[in-house]
Amino acid sequence: MSTDVKTRNQELIQEVLAAYPEKSAKKRAKHLNVYEEGKPDCGVKSNIKSLPGVMTVRGCAYAGSKGVVWGPIKDMVHISHGPVGCGQYSWASRRNYFIGVTGVNAFGTMQFTSDFQEKDIVFGGDKKLDKVMDEIEELFPLNNGISVQSECPIGLIGDDIEAVSKKKAKQIDKTIVPVRCEGFRGVSQSLGHHIANDAVRDFVLDKADGKASEFVSTPYDVAIIGDYNIGGDAWSSRILLEEMGLRVIAQWSGDGTLKEMEATPKAKLNLIHCYRSMNYVCRHMEEKFGIPWHEYNFFGPTKIAESLRAIAALFDDTIKENAERVIAKYQPLVDSVIAKFKPRLEGKTVMLYVGGLRPRHVVGAYEDLGMEIAGTGYEFGHGDDYQRTTHYVKDGTLIYDDVTEFELEKFVEAVKPDLVGSGIKEKYVFQKMGLPFRQMHSWDYSGPYHGYDGFAIFARDMDMAISSPVWGLTKAPWKK
């Protein structure tokens, strides 16, 4: 980026901070920066409690466990234990596609809650939880296990979900996992990911010995970890891995099963897509089972090819040759997509603000289309996320961690990007401003975006958003 843009971004940060009280400005200044090329990280503080009184789009620990890690495991029933008020994640789910018959052997779109009432808060909900598990077993006997996703009141009143889970697991002879993911824990949903990973470790992986005894290993066994199959993403990734000769023995949690999780310690390599949500359990498997792990990126042809070659390098020459064949096979598709959409999108600017891996992983896909990233940031990123981001962004890129709604709106007004990619909470604000927007958490009901086939859909969707004539026909309500 030019020196002028870099200076403008630095001045923009100071201008936005000037609107805060002195104490708040001092705290928020640590989370905003302009990336300097060659630096080992993005120069921002992260994973710190949000400022009271500002609008943050972060979720809670319960959302991180129920909504991200455990919820997509399709053959288990996941109980939202507490009041029905946590309906964001007890009544709805992300677009975690799965194969199965809902209500028979798959429960991904079904929602179960213990529906706490006032008397449960006063007298405790252990008996109610016991009864809920009995009802689940009677109504849905083909479930392969249960997880108990605790909401805030559970931790506050001290319900012993561990004791109830242990008792019922013996009674029905199934895996029952108590997850202490009360929403008040930690500073964001990130701790919920960590707690959920620890629960997978303690109640699934460390007890998996013997449960996968019939499993026959091959030298090419891999597991896909941290892909939630949004719009079919994991399926697109799996196709490429299997075409290059690898055998995917487990895929979780998108379209995942308890049996696949139990088989994961048999893998020769864990392939992690969402580093932020699943690196903890991958590190555990490396320490306990000696399974190496590798972070890969299947957004856009440049990063897909890099990742396929990096994965193949961990295997023999046969896999390396197969990887090159796979890349060559899809090159005509890549060429046709770029030929069609790059002339329409080249030079367009994008500002991103998303969770998980997307603030960095999707950068390459935009750049394959000739687009430029003007700013990016994480909702709940940690320091190592911002270190990894340096491999993707260019000098002068605006960086914002846990950005407030006020900051993001002011940044977008000043930078005037051609496209904003963020979450559902931001979507309608920017559309009312007359700005093209793509929902980069669940692909705006489109997808998949992973893999070569996904890149074609990604390119079409970005062009559709930017090139729509509607933006020239509307004005922000406050500008009329």
Side-chain angles (χ1 to χ4, degrees):
M1 293 186 182
S2 68
T3 304
D4 290 344
V5 171
K6 195 171 182 179
T7 302
R8 180 209 65 187
N9 287 343
Q10 291 167 339
E11 292 174 349
L12 177 57
I13 290 173
Q14 296 306 314
E15 182 182 327
V16 168
L17 290 173
Y20 287 115
E22 184 179 351
K23 189 175 180 180
S24 297
K26 188 176 181 180
K27 288 183 177 180
R28 283 304 304 158
K30 298 175 182 177
H31 298 266
L32 309 173
N33 196 27
V34 177
Y35 175 62
E36 294 183 42
E37 196 167 356
K39 291 292 179 72
D41 59 40
C42 293
V44 295
K45 296 289 183 180
S46 58
N47 198 33
I48 297 172
K49 186 177 180 180
S50 301
L51 276 181
V54 304
M55 290 292 288
T56 176
V57 301
R58 283 174 164 177
C60 64
Y62 162 74
S65 178
K66 167 63 169 66
V68 178
V69 177
W70 278 103
I73 300 296
K74 64 183 179 182
D75 64 342
M76 294 179 70
V77 169
H78 308 287
I79 303 172
S80 291
H81 187 40
V84 75
C86 287
Q88 178 68 26
Y89 286 94
S90 64
W91 282 38
S93 62
R94 299 200 296 172
R95 298 175 60 246
N96 311 110
Y97 283 7
F98 61 90
I99 297 170
V101 181
T102 297
V104 178
N105 62 355
F107 311 95
T109 53
M110 299 185 71
Q111 307 303 330
F112 300 80
T113 176
S114 50
D115 188 23
F116 259 44
Q117 303 298 312
E118 188 175 348
K119 62 182 175 56
D120 299 310
I121 300 294
V122 175
F123 298 108
D126 289 350
K127 291 181 180 179
K128 191 168 194 177
L129 179 60
D130 188 301
K131 184 179 179 182
V132 167
M133 291 182 183
D134 286 338
E135 290 178 353
I136 288 170
E137 196 59 22
E138 181 179 355
L139 294 170
F140 307 102
L142 295 185
N143 80 79
N144 287 326
I146 297 171
S147 78
V148 182
Q149 306 290 324
S150 51
E151 299 172 15
C152 285
I154 306 307
L156 295 173
I157 67 176
D159 267 11
D160 195 347
I161 63 172
E162 291 82 6
V164 176
S165 299
K166 185 176 182 180
K167 169 191 166 187
K168 300 305 289 186
K170 288 181 179 178
Q171 282 184 7
I172 65 178
D173 192 27
K174 290 182 179 177
T175 298
I176 299 183
V177 184
V179 190
R180 283 286 178 185
C181 58
E182 292 89 354
F184 57 74
R185 295 182 184 274
V187 302
S188 71
Q189 62 261 53
S190 181
L191 184 60
H193 302 150
H194 200 160
I195 291 168
N197 279 221
D198 289 350
V200 172
R201 175 196 68 198
D202 296 340
F203 291 91
V204 180
L205 299 181
D206 288 358
K207 296 182 179 180
D209 292 344
K211 291 189 177 182
S213 56
E214 76 285 358
F215 186 88
V216 179
S217 296
T218 77
Y220 303 125
D221 293 342
V222 299
I224 295 176
I225 308 292
D227 192 322
Y228 302 102
N229 208 31
I230 305 296
D233 281 340
W235 295 335
S236 296
S237 300
R238 186 170 185 146
I239 287 169
L240 299 180
L241 296 172
E242 291 177 344
E243 282 186 346
M244 63 190 280
L246 301 176
R247 185 174 76 147
V248 179
I249 64 168
Q251 172 186 308
W252 46 284
S253 52
D255 195 34
T257 65
L258 179 61
K259 191 172 184 179
E260 287 180 60
M261 295 172 79
E262 291 170 345
T264 305
K266 305 289 185 180
K268 300 298 186 295
L269 175 68
N270 281 328
L271 294 171
I272 182 170
H273 203 261
C274 183
Y275 171 86
R276 182 70 278 131
S277 64
M278 288 285 194
N279 76 87
Y280 317 100
V281 76
C282 287
R283 294 177 192 278
H284 168 71
M285 284 189 275
E286 183 176 41
E287 292 171 6
K288 180 167 183 177
F289 305 109
I291 306 172
W293 56 276
H294 175 78
E295 182 185 4
Y296 70 102
N297 180 354
F298 277 1
F299 284 107
T302 300
K303 293 303 177 183
I304 295 172
E306 285 180 13
S307 291
L308 289 176
R309 289 179 175 126
I311 293 167
L314 302 172
F315 292 92
D316 57 28
D317 289 342
T318 300
I319 301 299
K320 293 175 187 174
E321 292 168 6
N322 288 347
E324 295 303 325
R325 289 194 193 98
V326 170
I327 295 168
K329 172 186 173 181
Y330 288 97
Q331 194 58 46
L333 171 63
V334 170
D335 293 341
S336 66
V337 171
I338 290 177
K340 181 177 182 179
F341 292 107
K342 190 170 182 177
R344 298 166 61 86
L345 296 173
E346 193 159 21
K348 303 293 186 183
T349 56
V350 187
M351 288 184 70
L352 299 169
Y353 180 58
V354 215
L357 54 92
R358 298 173 190 84
R360 62 179 182 274
H361 270 203
V362 299
V363 170
Y366 282 111
E367 291 180 341
D368 286 334
L369 295 170
M371 303 173 76
E372 300 175 7
I373 304 301
T376 191
Y378 296 83
E379 294 176 11
F380 47 84
H382 293 208
D384 47 1
D385 289 303
Y386 286 103
Q387 290 170 1
R388 284 168 162 75
T389 304
T390 62
H391 304 300
Y392 291 86
V393 296
K394 295 178 180 177
D395 188 54
T397 303
L398 190 61
I399 305 292
Y400 30 81
D401 174 72
D402 185 29
V403 71
T404 69
E405 291 287 352
F406 164 74
E407 292 165 0
L408 186 59
E409 189 172 332
K410 290 300 180 184
F411 288 155
V412 170
E413 284 178 355
V415 175
K416 295 181 176 60
D418 297 294
L419 178 72
V420 177
S422 193
I424 192 68
K425 298 167 189 170
E426 298 77 59
K427 176 175 181 175
Y428 302 107
V429 172
F430 294 116
Q431 286 188 335
K432 287 175 181 176
M433 290 169 64
L435 282 169
F437 185 96
R438 286 302 299 183
Q439 213 274 76
M440 295 301 289
H441 282 287
S442 60
W443 310 154
D444 260 331
Y445 310 101
S446 185
Y449 282 177
H450 292 184
Y452 289 108
D453 293 336
F455 176 64
I457 298 170
F458 172 86
R460 179 204 67 191
D461 287 355
M462 300 309 128
D463 176 61
M464 183 169 59
I466 289 176
S467 302
S468 172
V470 70
W471 308 117
L473 303 174
T474 184
K475 283 186 177 181
W478 52 88
K479 290 184 178 179
K480 289 182 179 178

